[in-house]
Amino acid sequence: MLLTVNKFRTLFIPILLLSTCWASGTEHAPVGLWKTFDDRTREPRGTIRIFEENNALSGRIETSFKPEELAERCDKCSGDRKDAPIIGLTIMRGMKRDGSDYGGGEILDPETGSVYRCRLTLSSDGEKLFVRGYLGFSVFGRTQTWVRVSF
């Protein structure tokens, strides 16, 4: 059975449209590059790269928009992050999908060396990430909003 150009178009175009619909309906994931903001000044602070590692999400500091931070080290951190350079520092570990959110991991505040439990919630358009660090229960914490730079 030979396909003519018209039959090919008749079969190909609906398949292409359906695959486009399926692709646009796919769920967003937080993997990618995110711009962070200073809690006090609301000015852009730097970027965090979220990546998948060992079936979980991790995040590391990629850049800082403050020149004085480029040479800083995490002197208040403990364990394997003690005195590590801030740029390249993994601050988020062990985040796993939990329904439509991600949780079960931890996030580090390099300024204080404190480690918090963490929950990630992605906006419906995938362009904002709500990062909640907390102690014990989620109500005892704070949320930062990160803005997607790229996938």
Side-chain angles (χ1 to χ4, degrees), residues 36-82:
T36 64
F37 299 87
D38 188 282
D39 286 338
R40 291 176 219 87
T41 66
R42 305 286 185 234
E43 293 293 318
R45 178 92 188 247
T47 59
I48 306 289
R49 167 92 44 203
I50 297 180
F51 56 97
E52 191 168 346
E53 178 179 63
N54 301 324
N55 296 318
L57 297 181
S58 296
R60 81 174 151 260
I61 299 173
E62 290 278 309
T63 60
S64 174
F65 299 143
K66 297 183 176 189
E68 65 273 12
E69 291 181 346
L70 296 177
E72 284 186 10
R73 295 189 164 271
C74 197
D75 56 346
K76 295 180 181 172
C77 294
S78 60
D80 62 330
R81 297 183 271 204
K82 177 76 175 152

Short mmCIF file of all heavy atoms in Angstrom, two decimals, residues 36-82:
data_model
loop_
_atom_site.label_atom_id
_atom_site.label_comp_id
_atom_site.label_asym_id
_atom_site.label_seq_id
_atom_site.Cartn_x
_atom_site.Cartn_y
_atom_site.Cartn_z
N THR A 36 17.42 34.07 42.33
CA THR A 36 16.99 34.26 43.71
C THR A 36 17.05 35.74 44.06
O THR A 36 17.70 36.53 43.38
CB THR A 36 17.88 33.47 44.69
OG1 THR A 36 19.21 33.99 44.63
CG2 THR A 36 17.90 31.99 44.34
N PHE A 37 16.37 36.10 45.15
CA PHE A 37 16.27 37.50 45.57
C PHE A 37 16.58 37.63 47.05
O PHE A 37 16.26 36.75 47.84
CB PHE A 37 14.86 38.03 45.27
CG PHE A 37 14.53 37.98 43.81
CD1 PHE A 37 13.99 36.84 43.24
CD2 PHE A 37 14.79 39.06 42.99
CE1 PHE A 37 13.71 36.78 41.88
CE2 PHE A 37 14.51 39.01 41.63
CZ PHE A 37 13.97 37.87 41.08
N ASP A 38 17.20 38.74 47.42
CA ASP A 38 17.51 39.03 48.81
C ASP A 38 16.22 39.23 49.58
O ASP A 38 15.33 39.96 49.13
CB ASP A 38 18.38 40.30 48.87
CG ASP A 38 18.90 40.55 50.26
OD1 ASP A 38 18.11 41.06 51.10
OD2 ASP A 38 20.08 40.26 50.52
N ASP A 39 16.10 38.58 50.74
CA ASP A 39 14.87 38.68 51.55
C ASP A 39 14.59 40.10 52.02
O ASP A 39 13.44 40.50 52.14
CB ASP A 39 14.97 37.77 52.78
CG ASP A 39 14.80 36.31 52.43
OD1 ASP A 39 14.22 36.01 51.37
OD2 ASP A 39 15.27 35.46 53.22
N ARG A 40 15.63 40.86 52.31
CA ARG A 40 15.44 42.20 52.85
C ARG A 40 15.24 43.25 51.76
O ARG A 40 14.32 44.05 51.82
CB ARG A 40 16.63 42.58 53.73
CG ARG A 40 16.70 41.77 55.02
CD ARG A 40 17.96 42.10 55.83
NE ARG A 40 18.52 40.91 56.43
CZ ARG A 40 19.38 40.07 55.86
NH1 ARG A 40 19.82 40.30 54.66
NH2 ARG A 40 19.82 39.02 56.50
N THR A 41 16.14 43.26 50.77
CA THR A 41 16.11 44.33 49.75
C THR A 41 15.26 43.99 48.53
O THR A 41 14.93 44.87 47.75
CB THR A 41 17.53 44.63 49.26
OG1 THR A 41 18.04 43.49 48.56
CG2 THR A 41 18.45 45.00 50.42
N ARG A 42 14.95 42.71 48.36
CA ARG A 42 14.21 42.22 47.18
C ARG A 42 14.99 42.35 45.88
O ARG A 42 14.45 42.19 44.80
CB ARG A 42 12.84 42.89 47.03
CG ARG A 42 11.95 42.78 48.24
CD ARG A 42 11.41 41.38 48.37
NE ARG A 42 10.45 41.30 49.46
CZ ARG A 42 10.55 40.44 50.44
NH1 ARG A 42 11.53 39.58 50.48
NH2 ARG A 42 9.65 40.39 51.39
N GLU A 43 16.28 42.68 45.98
CA GLU A 43 17.15 42.79 44.80
C GLU A 43 17.58 41.39 44.37
O GLU A 43 17.71 40.49 45.22
CB GLU A 43 18.39 43.62 45.13
CG GLU A 43 18.11 45.08 45.43
CD GLU A 43 17.61 45.83 44.20
OE1 GLU A 43 18.16 45.62 43.11
OE2 GLU A 43 16.66 46.62 44.35
N PRO A 44 17.84 41.19 43.07
CA PRO A 44 18.34 39.89 42.63
C PRO A 44 19.65 39.56 43.35
O PRO A 44 20.50 40.42 43.53
CB PRO A 44 18.59 40.09 41.13
CG PRO A 44 17.68 41.21 40.74
CD PRO A 44 17.62 42.11 41.95
N ARG A 45 19.77 38.32 43.79
CA ARG A 45 20.92 37.91 44.60
C ARG A 45 21.89 37.04 43.82
O ARG A 45 23.09 37.17 43.94
CB ARG A 45 20.39 37.15 45.82
CG ARG A 45 21.44 36.61 46.75
CD ARG A 45 21.72 37.60 47.83
NE ARG A 45 22.85 37.20 48.63
CZ ARG A 45 22.80 36.84 49.89
NH1 ARG A 45 21.65 36.82 50.51
NH2 ARG A 45 23.88 36.52 50.54
N GLY A 46 21.34 36.08 43.05
CA GLY A 46 22.19 35.15 42.31
C GLY A 46 21.34 34.12 41.61
O GLY A 46 20.13 34.29 41.48
N THR A 47 21.99 33.05 41.16
CA THR A 47 21.24 31.98 40.50
C THR A 47 21.57 30.64 41.14
O THR A 47 22.68 30.42 41.63
CB THR A 47 21.56 31.91 38.99
OG1 THR A 47 22.95 31.69 38.80
CG2 THR A 47 21.12 33.17 38.28
N ILE A 48 20.58 29.77 41.12
CA ILE A 48 20.68 28.42 41.65
C ILE A 48 20.33 27.46 40.52
O ILE A 48 19.32 27.65 39.84
CB ILE A 48 19.69 28.17 42.82
CG1 ILE A 48 19.84 29.21 43.92
CG2 ILE A 48 19.80 26.74 43.34
CD1 ILE A 48 21.09 29.11 44.73
N ARG A 49 21.15 26.45 40.31
CA ARG A 49 20.87 25.41 39.32
C ARG A 49 20.28 24.22 40.05
O ARG A 49 20.92 23.64 40.94
CB ARG A 49 22.14 25.01 38.59
CG ARG A 49 22.04 23.74 37.79
CD ARG A 49 21.68 23.88 36.37
NE ARG A 49 22.38 24.95 35.70
CZ ARG A 49 21.89 25.53 34.60
NH1 ARG A 49 20.74 25.14 34.10
NH2 ARG A 49 22.55 26.50 34.02
N ILE A 50 19.04 23.83 39.70
CA ILE A 50 18.43 22.63 40.26
C ILE A 50 18.61 21.51 39.25
O ILE A 50 18.35 21.68 38.05
CB ILE A 50 16.94 22.86 40.58
CG1 ILE A 50 16.80 23.94 41.66
CG2 ILE A 50 16.28 21.55 41.03
CD1 ILE A 50 15.39 24.25 42.07
N PHE A 51 19.08 20.38 39.73
CA PHE A 51 19.39 19.25 38.85
C PHE A 51 18.99 17.95 39.54
O PHE A 51 18.81 17.90 40.76
CB PHE A 51 20.89 19.24 38.50
CG PHE A 51 21.80 19.21 39.69
CD1 PHE A 51 22.33 18.02 40.15
CD2 PHE A 51 22.12 20.40 40.36
CE1 PHE A 51 23.17 18.01 41.26
CE2 PHE A 51 22.96 20.38 41.46
CZ PHE A 51 23.49 19.18 41.91
N GLU A 52 18.84 16.91 38.73
CA GLU A 52 18.49 15.60 39.28
C GLU A 52 19.76 14.81 39.55
O GLU A 52 20.67 14.78 38.72
CB GLU A 52 17.59 14.83 38.32
CG GLU A 52 17.00 13.61 38.95
CD GLU A 52 15.88 12.98 38.13
OE1 GLU A 52 15.38 13.63 37.21
OE2 GLU A 52 15.53 11.84 38.45
N GLU A 53 19.78 14.19 40.74
CA GLU A 53 20.94 13.41 41.15
C GLU A 53 20.46 12.29 42.06
O GLU A 53 19.79 12.56 43.07
CB GLU A 53 21.91 14.35 41.89
CG GLU A 53 23.13 13.71 42.44
CD GLU A 53 24.03 14.73 43.12
OE1 GLU A 53 23.62 15.35 44.12
OE2 GLU A 53 25.15 14.91 42.63
N ASN A 54 20.75 11.05 41.71
CA ASN A 54 20.34 9.88 42.52
C ASN A 54 18.83 9.87 42.79
O ASN A 54 18.40 9.70 43.93
CB ASN A 54 21.12 9.83 43.84
CG ASN A 54 22.60 9.73 43.62
OD1 ASN A 54 23.06 9.08 42.69
ND2 ASN A 54 23.37 10.40 44.46
N ASN A 55 18.03 10.10 41.76
CA ASN A 55 16.56 10.08 41.84
C ASN A 55 15.98 11.13 42.78
O ASN A 55 14.91 10.95 43.34
CB ASN A 55 16.05 8.69 42.24
CG ASN A 55 16.37 7.66 41.19
OD1 ASN A 55 16.25 7.91 40.00
ND2 ASN A 55 16.83 6.49 41.63
N ALA A 56 16.72 12.19 42.99
CA ALA A 56 16.24 13.30 43.82
C ALA A 56 16.77 14.60 43.21
O ALA A 56 17.68 14.59 42.39
CB ALA A 56 16.72 13.16 45.25
N LEU A 57 16.18 15.72 43.62
CA LEU A 57 16.63 17.01 43.13
C LEU A 57 17.61 17.63 44.11
O LEU A 57 17.45 17.51 45.33
CB LEU A 57 15.44 17.96 42.93
CG LEU A 57 14.41 17.54 41.90
CD1 LEU A 57 13.30 18.60 41.81
CD2 LEU A 57 15.04 17.31 40.54
N SER A 58 18.62 18.27 43.56
CA SER A 58 19.60 19.02 44.34
C SER A 58 19.72 20.39 43.72
O SER A 58 19.31 20.60 42.57
CB SER A 58 20.96 18.32 44.31
OG SER A 58 20.91 17.06 44.93
N GLY A 59 20.29 21.32 44.45
CA GLY A 59 20.49 22.66 43.91
C GLY A 59 21.82 23.24 44.37
O GLY A 59 22.21 23.06 45.52
N ARG A 60 22.51 23.90 43.45
CA ARG A 60 23.80 24.50 43.80
C ARG A 60 23.83 25.96 43.33
O ARG A 60 23.18 26.32 42.35
CB ARG A 60 24.96 23.71 43.22
CG ARG A 60 25.26 23.97 41.80
CD ARG A 60 26.52 23.26 41.31
NE ARG A 60 26.33 23.01 39.90
CZ ARG A 60 25.96 21.87 39.37
NH1 ARG A 60 25.77 20.83 40.13
NH2 ARG A 60 25.79 21.75 38.08
N ILE A 61 24.59 26.76 44.04
CA ILE A 61 24.74 28.17 43.70
C ILE A 61 25.62 28.25 42.45
O ILE A 61 26.74 27.76 42.45
CB ILE A 61 25.36 28.96 44.86
CG1 ILE A 61 24.45 28.88 46.09
CG2 ILE A 61 25.62 30.40 44.45
CD1 ILE A 61 25.04 29.49 47.35
N GLU A 62 25.08 28.88 41.41
CA GLU A 62 25.83 29.03 40.16
C GLU A 62 26.54 30.39 40.09
O GLU A 62 27.68 30.45 39.69
CB GLU A 62 24.88 28.92 38.96
CG GLU A 62 24.34 27.54 38.74
CD GLU A 62 25.30 26.64 37.98
OE1 GLU A 62 25.78 27.05 36.92
OE2 GLU A 62 25.54 25.54 38.47
N THR A 63 25.80 31.45 40.44
CA THR A 63 26.38 32.79 40.36
C THR A 63 25.87 33.64 41.51
O THR A 63 24.86 33.33 42.13
CB THR A 63 25.99 33.51 39.05
OG1 THR A 63 24.57 33.63 39.01
CG2 THR A 63 26.48 32.78 37.82
N SER A 64 26.60 34.71 41.76
CA SER A 64 26.17 35.73 42.70
C SER A 64 26.24 37.07 41.98
O SER A 64 27.16 37.30 41.20
CB SER A 64 27.08 35.77 43.93
OG SER A 64 26.71 36.85 44.77
N PHE A 65 25.27 37.93 42.22
CA PHE A 65 25.27 39.24 41.61
C PHE A 65 26.00 40.26 42.48
O PHE A 65 26.07 41.43 42.15
CB PHE A 65 23.84 39.71 41.33
CG PHE A 65 23.09 38.80 40.39
CD1 PHE A 65 21.75 38.56 40.58
CD2 PHE A 65 23.72 38.19 39.32
CE1 PHE A 65 21.04 37.74 39.71
CE2 PHE A 65 23.03 37.36 38.45
CZ PHE A 65 21.69 37.13 38.66
N LYS A 66 26.52 39.80 43.62
CA LYS A 66 27.27 40.65 44.53
C LYS A 66 28.75 40.29 44.42
O LYS A 66 29.14 39.19 44.85
CB LYS A 66 26.77 40.49 45.96
CG LYS A 66 25.33 40.92 46.13
CD LYS A 66 24.89 40.80 47.56
CE LYS A 66 23.47 41.32 47.70
NZ LYS A 66 23.07 41.43 49.08
N PRO A 67 29.58 41.18 43.88
CA PRO A 67 31.00 40.85 43.68
C PRO A 67 31.71 40.39 44.94
O PRO A 67 32.59 39.53 44.88
CB PRO A 67 31.59 42.15 43.16
CG PRO A 67 30.43 42.92 42.62
CD PRO A 67 29.24 42.50 43.41
N GLU A 68 31.34 40.94 46.08
CA GLU A 68 32.03 40.57 47.33
C GLU A 68 31.80 39.11 47.71
O GLU A 68 32.55 38.53 48.49
CB GLU A 68 31.62 41.50 48.48
CG GLU A 68 30.17 41.43 48.89
CD GLU A 68 29.23 42.34 48.10
OE1 GLU A 68 29.62 42.89 47.06
OE2 GLU A 68 28.07 42.47 48.54
N GLU A 69 30.74 38.48 47.18
CA GLU A 69 30.44 37.09 47.52
C GLU A 69 31.19 36.09 46.65
O GLU A 69 31.21 34.90 46.95
CB GLU A 69 28.94 36.83 47.39
CG GLU A 69 28.13 37.54 48.45
CD GLU A 69 26.64 37.25 48.33
OE1 GLU A 69 26.20 36.74 47.28
OE2 GLU A 69 25.92 37.55 49.29
N LEU A 70 31.80 36.55 45.57
CA LEU A 70 32.43 35.62 44.63
C LEU A 70 33.57 34.82 45.24
O LEU A 70 33.83 33.70 44.84
CB LEU A 70 32.91 36.38 43.38
CG LEU A 70 31.79 37.01 42.55
CD1 LEU A 70 32.37 37.80 41.38
CD2 LEU A 70 30.81 35.95 42.05
N ALA A 71 34.26 35.38 46.21
CA ALA A 71 35.38 34.68 46.83
C ALA A 71 35.04 34.13 48.22
O ALA A 71 35.91 33.54 48.87
CB ALA A 71 36.58 35.62 46.93
N GLU A 72 33.81 34.31 48.68
CA GLU A 72 33.44 33.86 50.02
C GLU A 72 33.40 32.35 50.13
O GLU A 72 33.18 31.64 49.15
CB GLU A 72 32.06 34.43 50.41
CG GLU A 72 32.10 35.87 50.79
CD GLU A 72 30.76 36.37 51.31
OE1 GLU A 72 29.84 35.55 51.55
OE2 GLU A 72 30.63 37.58 51.47
N ARG A 73 33.60 31.89 51.36
CA ARG A 73 33.53 30.47 51.69
C ARG A 73 32.47 30.28 52.77
O ARG A 73 32.17 31.19 53.52
CB ARG A 73 34.88 29.96 52.15
CG ARG A 73 35.91 30.03 51.04
CD ARG A 73 37.19 29.32 51.43
NE ARG A 73 38.01 29.08 50.26
CZ ARG A 73 37.93 28.00 49.49
NH1 ARG A 73 37.08 27.06 49.77
NH2 ARG A 73 38.72 27.87 48.44
N CYS A 74 31.95 29.08 52.85
CA CYS A 74 30.91 28.79 53.83
C CYS A 74 31.57 28.42 55.17
O CYS A 74 31.59 27.26 55.57
CB CYS A 74 30.01 27.67 53.32
SG CYS A 74 28.46 27.58 54.22
N ASP A 75 32.08 29.44 55.86
CA ASP A 75 32.80 29.20 57.11
C ASP A 75 31.87 28.80 58.25
O ASP A 75 32.32 28.21 59.23
CB ASP A 75 33.65 30.40 57.49
CG ASP A 75 32.86 31.69 57.60
OD1 ASP A 75 31.70 31.74 57.15
OD2 ASP A 75 33.42 32.67 58.15
N LYS A 76 30.57 29.07 58.14
CA LYS A 76 29.63 28.69 59.20
C LYS A 76 28.97 27.34 58.93
O LYS A 76 28.20 26.85 59.74
CB LYS A 76 28.56 29.77 59.35
CG LYS A 76 29.15 31.08 59.83
CD LYS A 76 28.10 32.14 59.97
CE LYS A 76 28.75 33.45 60.42
NZ LYS A 76 27.82 34.56 60.41
N CYS A 77 29.28 26.74 57.78
CA CYS A 77 28.71 25.44 57.43
C CYS A 77 29.43 24.33 58.20
O CYS A 77 30.53 24.53 58.72
CB CYS A 77 28.86 25.17 55.93
SG CYS A 77 27.90 26.30 54.90
N SER A 78 28.82 23.17 58.22
CA SER A 78 29.45 22.01 58.86
C SER A 78 29.55 20.87 57.85
O SER A 78 29.02 20.95 56.74
CB SER A 78 28.63 21.57 60.08
OG SER A 78 27.33 21.21 59.67
N GLY A 79 30.21 19.81 58.24
CA GLY A 79 30.33 18.62 57.39
C GLY A 79 31.11 18.89 56.13
O GLY A 79 32.09 19.65 56.13
N ASP A 80 30.69 18.27 55.04
CA ASP A 80 31.42 18.37 53.78
C ASP A 80 31.33 19.76 53.14
O ASP A 80 32.07 20.06 52.21
CB ASP A 80 30.92 17.32 52.79
CG ASP A 80 29.45 17.48 52.42
OD1 ASP A 80 28.67 17.98 53.25
OD2 ASP A 80 29.09 17.10 51.29
N ARG A 81 30.48 20.62 53.67
CA ARG A 81 30.35 21.97 53.11
C ARG A 81 31.18 23.00 53.89
O ARG A 81 31.25 24.16 53.49
CB ARG A 81 28.89 22.38 53.05
CG ARG A 81 28.09 21.46 52.12
CD ARG A 81 26.67 21.87 51.99
NE ARG A 81 25.85 21.24 53.01
CZ ARG A 81 24.55 21.03 52.91
NH1 ARG A 81 23.90 21.42 51.84
NH2 ARG A 81 23.89 20.45 53.86
N LYS A 82 31.80 22.59 54.97
CA LYS A 82 32.61 23.49 55.80
C LYS A 82 33.72 24.10 54.96
O LYS A 82 34.49 23.39 54.31
CB LYS A 82 33.19 22.72 56.98
CG LYS A 82 34.12 23.53 57.86
CD LYS A 82 33.36 24.48 58.74
CE LYS A 82 34.31 25.19 59.70
NZ LYS A 82 33.80 26.48 60.07
#
